[in-house]
Amino acid sequence: MTDRIPSQDRATTTGRASAAPGTAEDRTAQERPGGVSRRALLGTAGATGLVLGAAGGGVGYALAPEGSEAPAEALSQLGARRAMFHVKHQPGITTPLQAKGHLLAFDLLAGKGRREAANLLRRWSGTAERLMAGEAVAADGHDTGVALDAGPASLTVTFGFGHSFFSRTGLEKQRPEALAPLPQFSSDHLDAKRGNGDLWVQIGADDALVAFHALRALQKDARGTARVRWQMNGFNRSPGATASPRTARNLMGQLDGTGNPQESDKDFAQRVFVGAGDGPEWMANGSYVVMRRIRMLLDDWEGLGLAEQEKVIGRRKSTGAPLTGGGEHTEPELDATDKDGDLVIPLNAHARITRPDQNGGAAMLRRPFSYHDGIDADGVPDAGLLFLCWQADPLRGFVPVQRKLDRGDALSEYIRHEASGLYAVPGGAGKGEYVGQGLLEG
């Protein structure tokens, strides 16, 4: 849990650098009182697929109070940020961390197959595109109104297919080899009811109501075709909560994501995304995501002293620097010893075990959400990490690292893997297409 994750705060920096002034493009047919539309798109961002409107600068999303003649006020930068739907790789993979997330899986109903699944993905893609643009669910105005006065708030919706989807739809020959079920690990305490599933959906946004609005819209779209198998809700630090962009912290107080692969790395795409010819044609530009609900045994963890916690992780809690010194991104001296001849970074330290150079180069893009589901029957917090990792092949990414952790990670004493899933996430949909169309109509 110590690999670097793109900081959600970086979305602000990226947006300022890449937002370009221009003429507002109004894609909504309905006008607000005072002649101001619900959404006005101005400028595009770069690799993250984000658009950022700057309040007061003549750009962004503007809203007027309902039933009022008052002039519209521009939304805050947080509300105005927009992620694009029609991109090479689905949104929500390299998108900077969002403040609120929902993960859920669906199972197709009895008697529903390939045709019904295609219709559902078509509906879902249309709904996701509209909501990510800050528009109403449908042009006819039939909307719950939950996010009526909000902008897109960096909303992303990501869709994937589970192992069982292919047998349910008669597409077994199109099932990727990389989607083979994950092996069992000795540290697993998995609840089968909260894992796997035919279809997987990830929703992320910087506003909780925007995320919930999308959740309800997608659930309603699925009626008559699929039912929810499980749902999990997560969160991260809100953008702008820190004075400057920094790596996120998890519920153990640790910086979580210091060694993540970066988009600037020359082998980033090779590690994270499926290349043409590396699997079924429909998976080109897609990725595989492993989901693990990892409960943190916080009472036990918080009972440790600071020095003990830092030895478990192998890094300073305050800065994320390796115990051998330097800053967060300083390379650790794995052979360094103390005055007694003991390794400064223990052999079973989490940060040592998870390093790519300790796992044959295995690496993955980690992009989790924290969760807190209250207090359980024993009076202890049901809280932890909704771990999500993205890779071109889980057998070369997640599996070797987890096997290594399973054999002797000091952190394993303070966490418990309670749910798991593996999903094939196809590439982004082109204009006029829906996600998964190459599979379902190929």
Side-chain angles (χ1 to χ4, degrees), residues 183-374:
Q184 291 186 333
F185 303 100
S186 63
S187 59
D188 286 351
H189 296 77
L190 304 181
D191 178 357
K193 295 179 180 179
R194 293 196 292 182
N196 302 315
D198 296 340
L199 293 157
W200 178 80
V201 181
Q202 173 190 260
I203 298 168
D206 285 337
D207 179 80
L209 285 180
V210 168
F212 178 80
H213 183 231
L215 175 70
R216 290 296 300 137
L218 296 172
Q219 287 174 339
K220 288 193 292 183
D221 279 348
R223 287 175 182 169
T225 302
R227 62 174 178 81
V228 174
R229 177 183 177 89
W230 57 260
Q231 179 188 324
M232 301 178 193
N233 309 313
F235 58 90
N236 282 304
R237 176 170 280 159
S238 298
T242 57
S244 59
R246 59 182 303 133
T247 306
R249 291 189 185 273
N250 59 36
L251 298 188
M252 286 179 161
Q254 303 293 146
L255 292 182
D256 197 334
T258 298
N260 239 9
Q262 299 296 295
E263 290 185 77
S264 57
D265 297 342
K266 62 181 180 181
D267 60 350
F268 178 85
Q270 180 183 350
R271 287 181 166 186
V272 177
F273 296 110
V274 178
D278 290 338
E281 184 178 351
W282 65 269
M283 269 299 291
N285 301 317
S287 187
Y288 294 92
V289 61
V290 174
M291 182 284 299
R292 307 280 280 184
R293 185 183 190 271
I294 304 176
R295 184 167 182 174
M296 295 176 173
L297 308 181
L298 294 178
D299 286 349
D300 295 339
W301 175 256
E302 292 164 2
L304 296 179
L306 177 61
E308 293 176 285
Q309 291 182 350
E310 292 182 338
K311 280 189 174 295
V312 168
I313 301 298
R315 292 183 175 275
R316 298 296 177 199
K317 192 170 185 177
S318 58
T319 64
L323 296 183
T324 49
E328 180 186 352
H329 304 299
T330 300
E331 284 295 313
E333 299 175 36
L334 298 180
D335 296 327
T337 57
D338 60 21
K339 59 183 176 58
D340 297 320
D342 297 323
L343 288 170
V344 176
I345 300 176
L347 284 175
N348 62 352
H350 186 76
R352 177 192 287 268
I353 293 176
T354 57
R355 287 177 57 83
D357 59 11
Q358 303 294 302
N359 295 281
M364 50 201 150
L365 179 67
R366 306 184 185 191
R367 191 181 182 277
F369 292 93
S370 292
Y371 77 88
H372 179 217
D373 290 340

Side-chain angles (χ1 to χ4, degrees), residues 95-110:
T95 307
L97 285 180
Q98 295 141 305
K100 183 64 178 179
H102 299 292
L103 307 177
L104 61 163
F106 292 80
D107 286 334
L108 293 172
L109 297 175

